[in-house]
Amino acid sequence: MKALRVILIIVAVLLAAILIVPLFSPATAEVSAETTIAVEPAVLFPPVASYMNRPAWDPWLTQDSTADARLEPKDGYVGSTYSWTGEKVGTGRMVVVSVRENEYIESSLWFGDVEEPSLVEWKFEAVDGGTHVTWSFTQETSYPIGRLGMMFGKNFLKQSFELGLANLKEVMESMPEKNSALGTIAVEAMPAMLTLVADGAGTMETIGEQLGELYGLLFAEAGKQQLEVTGAPFVHYLDYDESTGFSKYRAGVVVNKMGKDASKVKAVSYPEMQAIQALHTGPYEEFTNSYDQIGAYIEENEIEVSGEAFEFYQIGMESESDPSLLETLIVFPLI
C-alpha cells in the first residue's frame, strides 16, 4: 500500500506539472535571432525571398543527409514555395505571403499535416557595413501539451535560427563580388516573332566578335526590304558543346512583317512558346553566374527544356556604355 501511495503521489505531481506549469506559459510562442551580414539589402533580399539558395544554409537540411528540398520561386516573390522531406526533418513547406522589397518578408509555415500555419518573418535593415537581419517565428500553442512542448523546444529552435543565420552569413559573405544580378526566374510565354536571322558558329569568346558583323548585315537587309525593327536584337543558340564551348547559333532581329530570304539572311517566323525566363542585369562577362542559377532552378524543379536558348539584348552596348546597366533577357524554351 505504501508503494502504491508513492506511485499515486508521483503521478499526481506529474499531472499537476502538466496541467499547472503551462498555465504560466504564454499561448503565443515567439522565437527570434538576428545578425549583421556584410552585403547590401538589395543583394541579400532576393535569394531569401525566393528561397533560391535556401538549401545551402538551412539549419535543418544541412544536418540531414536524407533531406530533399523543392524550390518554386514566383515572380514578385509572393507565392514562392519551399518544401522539404527527410528522415530527421520530416515534411513541411513554407509559402511567401507578403513582402516589402529589401525590407520585410512574411511567410506561412506548415509542419507535416498541421492545418494552421506558423508565422515566419524576416526584417532587413541597412546599416554601416551591410544589413541587419532579424529572423523570427511565431506560433499559437494549445493547452496544455502544445505549451509544454514549446517550453522545452524554444531553446532548440532559437539555436537552430542562430545556426541558420550564421550559415546564411557565411554563404552570402563568401560569394564573389559581382556587378550583375538576375531577376526572378519564371515560366512565361515567349511571344511569336517575325524575324530576320543569320547563322553563325563559334565559342563564347569568338561569338561576340562575330555578332557585330551579323547584326550589321541584318539591319542593312531590313532596310533594303523596308522592314521596321520592332524588338531587341537576339541570339538563338541552337546547341552547345560543354567540352569545347562551341555553339551553332542564329543572330536575329525582330521585324514588323514577314521578310524574304536574301543570301546569308533568312526570314524566320517563331511561334509563341513556353519558356523559363529571367532578366540578367550587368556585364556579359558575368552571364555564367546567371546561367548557373537558371540551370539549378531547372534541375531542382525537374523542368524539361529543349536544349536551345535565347538572349535578347534589351539594353545593349550600342545604347549604354556602363556595363552594369546592360539588360539581357535569358530564355530557355520548354519541350
Side-chain angles (χ1 to χ4, degrees):
M1 291 294 291
K2 185 175 181 180
L4 179 59
R5 183 181 299 175
V6 171
I7 293 172
L8 290 175
I9 291 173
I10 293 173
V11 170
V13 170
L14 289 175
L15 285 174
I18 291 173
L19 295 174
I20 296 174
V21 172
L23 288 174
F24 300 94
S25 177
T28 302
E30 298 179 348
V31 176
S32 68
E34 54 190 282
T35 191
T36 298
I37 299 177
V39 298
E40 298 299 315
V43 175
L44 179 60
F45 183 91
V48 175
S50 65
Y51 300 121
M52 281 306 296
N53 69 349
R54 177 80 184 221
W57 61 265
D58 186 290
W60 299 281
L61 263 64
T62 54
Q63 299 180 60
D64 186 349
S65 61
T66 70
D68 180 39
R70 182 177 179 85
L71 314 177
E72 298 179 59
K74 298 294 183 183
D75 189 19
Y77 306 113
V78 174
S80 294
T81 301
Y82 175 62
S83 55
W84 65 89
T85 182
E87 293 179 4
K88 294 182 181 179
V89 297
T91 61
R93 64 187 175 96
M94 278 189 291
V95 179
V96 175
V97 175
S98 68
V99 300
R100 291 195 305 273
E101 192 150 3
N102 300 331
E103 295 181 1
Y104 176 77
I105 305 167
E106 176 188 345
S107 300
S108 292
L109 166 63
W110 290 266
F111 287 113
D113 298 324
V114 299
E115 295 183 2
E116 292 298 321
S118 302
L119 172 66
V120 176
E121 297 174 286
W122 289 82
K123 296 178 182 178
F124 305 83
E125 180 185 358
V127 296
D128 289 342
T131 305
H132 186 78
V133 185
T134 303
W135 182 21
S136 62
F137 167 90
T138 305
Q139 177 180 304
E140 297 299 321
T141 58
S142 60
Y143 172 84
I145 301 301
R147 295 190 194 179
L148 196 63
M150 188 54 67
M151 287 177 62
F152 292 104
K154 281 182 67 173
N155 286 338
F156 170 76
L157 197 57
K158 185 174 181 63
Q159 290 173 4
S160 295
F161 272 43
E162 290 173 345
L163 174 61
L165 287 182
N167 291 344
L168 177 61
K169 179 181 176 70
E170 181 179 359
V171 168
M172 297 303 299
E173 292 182 351
S174 64
M175 292 175 62
E177 184 176 350
K178 58 182 182 178
N179 297 309
S180 65
L182 186 68
T184 301
I185 304 171
V187 177
E188 297 181 2
M190 188 179 89
M193 302 184 297
L194 300 177
T195 70
L196 294 179
V197 302
D199 292 335
T203 64
M204 294 300 108
E205 290 74 20
T206 62
I207 288 174
E209 300 173 2
Q210 299 168 4
L211 286 178
E213 179 181 345
L214 294 177
Y215 285 134
L217 183 65
L218 292 169
F219 278 99
E221 187 58 37
K224 289 179 184 178
Q225 296 189 29
Q226 298 184 331
L227 301 174
E228 180 184 352
V229 176
T230 58
F234 66 90
V235 172
H236 176 193
Y237 293 100
L238 303 173
D239 58 22
Y240 178 70
D241 187 330
E242 292 187 5
S243 63
T244 63
F246 190 85
S247 179
K248 296 177 183 177
Y249 68 91
R250 287 174 170 175
V253 293
V254 182
V255 291
N256 63 327
K257 59 184 179 180
M258 194 65 183
K260 299 177 181 179
D261 294 351
S263 185
K264 295 182 179 181
V265 176
K266 298 177 182 178
V268 173
S269 174
Y270 286 95
E272 180 180 299
M273 62 185 78
Q274 291 295 308
I276 296 287
Q277 305 185 31
L279 183 67
H280 170 97
T281 302
Y284 301 144
E285 292 79 11
E286 295 185 4
F287 273 163
T288 300
N289 297 326
S290 293
Y291 272 93
D292 286 346
Q293 291 181 56
I294 298 173
Y297 177 88
I298 291 170
E299 182 177 351
E300 289 162 357
N301 291 279
E302 299 179 352
I303 298 173
E304 294 189 47
V305 293
S306 67
E308 300 181 5
F310 289 81
E311 292 175 357
F312 292 88
Y313 306 109
Q314 296 182 342
I315 298 180
M317 295 293 290
E318 74 286 347
S319 60
E320 178 55 63
S321 58
D322 184 350
S324 68
L325 299 179
L326 302 178
E327 292 186 355
T328 307
L329 183 66
I330 300 174
V331 178
F332 284 84
L334 306 188
I335 293 177

